[in-house]
Amino acid sequence: MAAEARASLAFEVSHAMGGRPWAGMRRTESGERVVSVSIPIQHVRAVLGVVTLEASDVDAIIARERAALIP
């Protein structure tokens, strides 16, 4: 599980290093779902780095939204 988590994060960062933003859901090393967005930091056309933002309480948010839909 840890190797898969690292590989998916590495793919996300390498995609953003190519100058393209990435947004998606993936699993952490502990198996928890996270929503992740990686945005390239650019100066003109040169990619200088990547900023990755994550929200890790996805399962709890989904459960609360589903409960709110029940009449």
Side-chain angles (χ1 to χ4, degrees), residues 9-64:
L9 179 59
F11 171 78
E12 184 176 323
V13 170
S14 67
H15 185 85
M17 285 298 291
R20 301 170 312 273
W22 175 266
M25 191 176 310
R26 60 182 170 76
R27 299 270 179 187
T28 63
E29 291 182 2
S30 63
E32 184 180 31
R33 283 193 290 186
V34 295
V35 173
S36 181
V37 176
S38 290
I39 301 169
I41 305 300
Q42 294 179 291
H43 183 278
V44 186
R45 292 196 179 256
V47 177
L48 304 176
V50 174
V51 172
T52 300
L53 304 170
E54 298 178 347
S56 63
D57 56 349
V58 175
D59 291 324
I61 292 169
I62 293 171
R64 284 194 305 269

